[in-house]
C-alpha cells in the first residue's frame, strides 16, 4: 500500500518503464466541486470552486471551469499556460490525431485537436463557440470572438439555488434542469467573463451597446448547433443495462466468477 495519490503512482510507473517521454498525460476533471455534497450524518463535504459561482450539476463557471494539467517531456514546453476555451471533448480528436487515426466521417465531432495550442503553433482555440448542456437541455452558449478579449456567455435558463442566497441547490442536493427548479430568461442572461468571471453582473442593453447584436450571433450559433445534434440509441435501455457476465472483469479474488486468471496476473488482479 502507498499513501501517494493515484496520479503520482501512474507518473512513477511511467518513469520506471522509461515511457514518460513518449506519453502524453492529461489530468483534468469532468465538473467542478459538488458544493451540496453531504454525508449520511449530514456533514457538509462539498468542495470549493474558488471565486466561481455554482458547482457540479450546473453551468455556472464553478460547475464547468476546471483545471487541465498536461505533461509530455520533450514535446510540450514546461510551464506553458494556455488561456483559451477547451473541452474534455477535445481528448478524443487529440488522441486520434496523435495515433494517426482518421476521425469518423458519419457524425459531427464536437472536439478539436489540442496539439496546435499545446505546442504554441496557435494562440487561439478552434472553439469559437462552446455549448453547455444541463442533462439534454441546451442551457448556455459561450462565445470567444476572434481578435477579441471578451468572452461572452449567455444563459437560456439558470437553476434556482435553495435556500435563497445559497451557492447551490442544497434542498435537493443537486440542481435540476426543468420546471419550477429553473428560471428562464428572455432575453438570455448575458455575461462578459473576461470582466466578470464571478458572473455577478449581467450585461444589459444600457451597459453594452452591442447587446442585441451579440445575443443574435450566439442565438444563431446555438440554432446551427442544435441542427447538427442527432438522436442516439438509449444508453439506459434494458438491453444496455442488463448484466453481461462475459464482460465482467475476472480477477483472482472473485471466486464466484466462472473464469480463471492466469497465474502471472493473480498478484496484479488482472483479467483473463
Amino acid at each position: 500500500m502507498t499513501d501517494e495519490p493515484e496520479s503520482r503512482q501512474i507518473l512513477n510507473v511511467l518513469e520506471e518503464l522509461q515511457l514518460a517521454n513518449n506519453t502524453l498525460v492529461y489530468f483534468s476533471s469532468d465538473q467542478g466541486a459538488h458544493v451540496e455534497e453531504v454525508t449520511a450524518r449530514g456533514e457538509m463535504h462539498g468542495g470549493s470552486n474558488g471565486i466561481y459561482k455554482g458547482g457540479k450539476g450546473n453551468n455556472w463557471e464553478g460547475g464547468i471551469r476546471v483545471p487541465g494539467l498536461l505533461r509530455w517531456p520533450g514535446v510540450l514546453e514546461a510551464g506553458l499556460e494556455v488561456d483559451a476555451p477547451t473541452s474534455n471533448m477535445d481528448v478524443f480528436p487529440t488522441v486520434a490525431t496523435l495515433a494517426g487515426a482518421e476521425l469518423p466521417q458519419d457524425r459531427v465531432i464536437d472536439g478539436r485537436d489540442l496539439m496546435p495550442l499545446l505546442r504554441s503553433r496557435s494562440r487561439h482555440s478552434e472553439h469559437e463557440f462552446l455549448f453547455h448542456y444541463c442533462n439534454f437541455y441546451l442551457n448556455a452558449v459561450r462565445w470567444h470572438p476572434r481578435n477579441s478579449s471578451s468572452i461572452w456567455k449567455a444563459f437560456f435558463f439558470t437553476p434556482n439555488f435553495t435556500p435563497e442566497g445559497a451557492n447551490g441547490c442544497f434542498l435537493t442536493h443537486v440542481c435540476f434542469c426543468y420546471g419550477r427548479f429553473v428560471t428562464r430568461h428572455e432575453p438570455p442572461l448575458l455575461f462578459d467573463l473576461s470582466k466578470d468571471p464571478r458572473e455577478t453582473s449581467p450585461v444589459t442593453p444600457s451597459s453594452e451597446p452591442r447587446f442585441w447584436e451579440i445575443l443574435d450571433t450566439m442565438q444563431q450559433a446555438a440554432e446551427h448547433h442544435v441542427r447538427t445534434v442527432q438522436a442516439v440509441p438509449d444508453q439506459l435501455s434494458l438491453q444496455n443495462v442488463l448484466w453481461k457476465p462475459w464482460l465482467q472483469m475476472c480477477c483472482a479474488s472473485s471466486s464466484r466468477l466462472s473464469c480463471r486468471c492466469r497465474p502471472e496476473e493473480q498478484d496484479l488482479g488482472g483479467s483473463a
Side-chain angles (χ1 to χ4, degrees), residues 87-130:
S87 165
N88 283 350
M89 296 184 297
D90 299 333
V91 173
F92 171 59
T94 301
V95 171
T97 300
L98 290 173
E102 293 186 3
L103 293 176
Q105 300 298 313
D106 61 343
R107 69 203 70 180
V108 175
I109 303 298
D110 293 311
R112 299 291 185 268
D113 180 11
L114 288 172
M115 292 310 294
L117 275 176
L118 300 180
R119 304 194 73 173
S120 301
R121 293 175 178 171
S122 173
R123 297 179 58 189
H124 302 284
S125 168
E126 291 189 37
H127 290 292
E128 182 176 359
F129 295 94
L130 283 172

Side-chain angles (χ1 to χ4, degrees), residues 25-168:
V25 177
Y26 186 8
F27 179 83
S28 186
S29 173
D30 61 344
Q31 84 277 313
H34 187 185
V35 296
E36 304 98 339
E37 184 178 0
V38 297
T39 68
R41 298 180 179 180
E43 300 169 331
M44 299 299 301
H45 279 195
S48 170
N49 294 307
I51 68 169
Y52 302 115
K53 188 174 183 178
K56 176 181 178 179
N58 60 74
N59 286 305
W60 294 108
E61 288 298 279
I64 58 177
R65 186 184 292 220
V66 296
L69 305 176
L70 296 102
R71 178 178 185 266
W72 194 353
V75 177
L76 302 184
E77 177 186 347
L80 175 67
E81 294 186 10
V82 176
D83 184 17
T86 63
S87 165
N88 283 350
M89 296 184 297
D90 299 333
V91 173
F92 171 59
T94 301
V95 171
T97 300
L98 290 173
E102 293 186 3
L103 293 176
Q105 300 298 313
D106 61 343
R107 69 203 70 180
V108 175
I109 303 298
D110 293 311
R112 299 291 185 268
D113 180 11
L114 288 172
M115 292 310 294
L117 275 176
L118 300 180
R119 304 194 73 173
S120 301
R121 293 175 178 171
S122 173
R123 297 179 58 189
H124 302 284
S125 168
E126 291 189 37
H127 290 292
E128 182 176 359
F129 295 94
L130 283 172
F131 305 95
H132 304 303
Y133 279 80
C134 187
N135 289 338
F136 50 80
Y137 302 101
L138 180 57
N139 184 191
V141 179
R142 189 189 213 91
W143 180 30
H144 190 186
R146 307 295 185 189
N147 303 318
S148 173
S149 60
S150 293
I151 304 174
W152 304 106
K153 185 177 175 187
F155 281 96
F156 301 116
F157 63 86
T158 51
N160 296 328
F161 286 169
T162 53
E164 187 176 351
N167 186 41

Side-chain angles (χ1 to χ4, degrees), residues 10 14 22 35 40 50 61 64 88 126 163 204 206 241 257 267 270:
I10 292 172
L14 290 175
N22 300 322
V35 296
E61 288 298 279
I64 58 177
N88 283 350
E126 291 189 37
T204 65
S206 59
V241 300
L257 296 178
D267 293 338

Side-chain angles (χ1 to χ4, degrees), residues 53 60 188-192 196 199-205 207 211:
K53 188 174 183 178
W60 294 108
L189 204 60
L190 182 64
F191 296 92
D192 183 354
D196 181 26
E199 296 173 292
T200 58
S201 303
V203 176
T204 65
S207 64
F211 179 85

